Amino acid sequence: EHCGGVTGFLLSTAATIRTLKPTRVVIVFDGKGGSNRRKSYYKGYKEGRTGLTKINRLAGYEDLEDQQESMRNQFSRLIEYLQVLPISLTYIDYVEADDIIAYLANHYFKKEVTIVSSDKDFLQLVNHRIKVWAPTKKKMYDEALVKEDYGVIPQNLIWYRVITGDKSDNIEGVRGIGEKTIHSKMSFLNESELDMDGFMSKIKTECDDKLSQKLTENVTTIEMNYRLMQLKDPEISSSITSQVRNIMDELQPELDLVEFKKMFMYDKLYTAFANVDSWLRNSFTSLHNNLKNHFKDYEFNDK
């Protein structure tokens, strides 16, 4: 049985925990049908994603179907591993992970939050309390770094994204307007946060005639992209937010060393973990202790 997906996820998660030293970890997966809401008003959303079809990814598999079946099995096994670690798992049907993460960062957690993702959409949430760790770039985005890399304050990064689009989600921006134009002719994006009305007002009063006309002609695209991409106030129902809060308020799983090592031995993951006892304790003990302090009335088994 292939296990690269499981070991890769566990190793990268643990490495991130050791780097960031969080007091709590929440992993959010897309729910079944999570893209339905956005596809309901833009059918092309995420269209064209082909999945893992590269020939070099098929090494060791009979065919693509065999690979996909293996990935499903590995995902199920990964959940079993995560359930014996001091980590909260969340996935709700018909809701995308992005919306839950944004809701948790903005409306549930009150102290410092670090979002771990390479998705640029999360940068619009950066403020004095919320940062984004981009693992592929190995950059911790605060307000200053967002402005340095994108030329706009994070509170207005949504307009940068709306105009430039997002190829990974098949969202087309406003044709003929790119990063250079934004930087040279839309300096108002560096001043104060703009809502839709404020943005449209600035277009009419502070852009030159040609740019103003171009943007005004594409107001339908701007409005649709904003609805697709904005995360500050995710479009999720009160029943969903209540469900998310209930999950977060529940007791987190504790660190179960015995059960983890049982699965580890059964799956024969020896080559991926040089010293599993040391790896578990160095990566997850502090989270386990934080959990004990938070839920003081619960009886823990220090296995």
Side-chain angles (χ1 to χ4, degrees):
E1 295 292 336
H2 295 274
C3 61
V6 173
T7 55
F9 195 102
L10 291 172
L11 289 169
S12 63
T13 299
T16 303
I17 289 170
R18 293 195 302 273
T19 299
L20 301 182
K21 297 178 174 57
T23 55
R24 184 171 184 181
V25 173
V26 181
I27 293 177
V28 187
F29 296 104
D30 282 332
K32 180 182 177 182
S35 300
N36 289 1
R37 177 178 66 82
R38 288 179 169 88
K39 285 182 177 179
S40 69
Y41 45 82
Y42 174 47
K43 292 181 180 179
Y45 180 65
K46 291 189 175 180
E47 195 174 83
R49 290 192 175 186
T50 56
L52 302 175
T53 57
K54 292 182 180 179
I55 191 68
N56 62 325
R57 293 279 186 105
L58 294 176
Y61 298 95
E62 292 181 8
D63 50 32
L64 182 59
E65 185 178 344
D66 180 42
Q67 183 203 40
Q68 291 172 336
E69 177 63 23
S70 173
M71 294 304 290
R72 284 191 289 270
N73 293 337
Q74 287 189 70
F75 181 77
S76 296
R77 190 57 165 169
L78 171 64
I79 297 300
E80 292 177 351
Y81 275 103
L82 293 174
Q83 286 175 332
V84 296
L85 297 174
I87 290 173
S88 298
L89 300 181
T90 307
Y91 43 94
I92 297 175
D93 286 348
Y94 307 110
V95 184
E96 283 193 89
D98 291 15
D99 292 325
I100 295 178
I101 292 170
Y103 174 77
L104 288 172
N106 265 328
H107 304 290
Y108 181 81
F109 293 115
K110 303 302 180 186
K111 296 182 180 179
E112 290 76 13
V113 173
T114 300
I115 297 171
V116 179
S117 176
S118 296
D119 189 338
K120 295 175 185 176
D121 285 337
F122 287 118
L123 298 178
Q124 65 186 272
L125 302 177
V126 170
N127 57 29
H128 68 284
R129 187 178 59 82
I130 301 172
K131 295 180 181 179
V132 173
W133 170 250
T136 53
K137 293 183 178 180
K138 291 183 169 55
K139 285 185 175 183
M140 180 66 80
Y141 279 96
D142 57 11
E143 292 178 284
L145 188 55
V146 171
K147 186 175 178 180
E148 180 183 325
D149 276 15
Y150 295 93
V152 300
I153 60 174
Q155 292 81 2
N156 285 330
L157 187 70
I158 180 62
W159 303 116
Y160 176 103
R161 299 284 287 149
V162 162
I163 293 170
T164 58
D166 186 346
K167 289 183 179 179
S168 66
D169 286 340
N170 194 38
I171 299 173
E172 188 172 335
V174 178
R175 292 186 181 182
I177 303 178
E179 297 176 9
K180 290 182 179 179
T181 302
I182 294 172
H183 296 157
S184 62
K185 297 185 177 182
M186 302 178 74
S187 59
F188 56 83
L189 293 179
N190 262 321
E191 296 169 2
S192 57
E193 183 175 359
L194 299 171
D195 58 14
M196 178 63 74
D197 290 338
F199 179 69
M200 297 309 297
S201 175
K202 289 287 187 181
I203 286 173
K204 295 173 183 176
T205 59
E206 298 199 26
C207 291
D208 60 51
D209 292 344
K210 184 179 178 181
L211 180 57
S212 179
Q213 181 180 353
K214 182 77 170 177
L215 289 165
T216 303
E217 288 173 350
N218 285 273
V219 66
T220 301
T221 297
I222 290 171
E223 289 175 345
M224 181 183 70
N225 286 1
Y226 180 81
R227 194 173 183 191
L228 289 168
M229 303 171 87
Q230 78 84 20
L231 291 174
K232 189 167 184 181
D233 189 20
E235 291 185 37
I236 48 180
S237 67
S238 58
S239 62
I240 294 296
T241 59
S242 177
Q243 189 176 347
V244 171
R245 285 181 169 274
N246 288 338
I247 292 171
M248 290 297 102
D249 289 342
E250 288 177 358
L251 178 70
Q252 289 178 264
E254 59 179 303
L255 175 58
D256 191 334
L257 297 173
V258 173
E259 191 57 35
F260 187 97
K261 286 194 285 186
K262 276 184 185 178
M263 291 190 287
F264 171 86
M265 295 298 289
Y266 181 85
D267 292 337
K268 301 178 182 178
L269 302 185
Y270 325 118
T271 57
F273 301 81
N275 184 327
V276 68
D277 288 289
S278 175
W279 177 82
L280 283 166
R281 293 187 185 281
N282 290 339
S283 304
F284 300 104
T285 298
S286 62
L287 283 175
H288 175 77
N289 291 336
N290 286 331
L291 177 65
K292 290 171 65 176
N293 291 332
H294 188 70
F295 296 96
K296 293 179 180 177
D297 296 331
Y298 179 77
E299 182 177 344
F300 280 79
N301 297 311
D302 289 309
K303 303 183 181 75

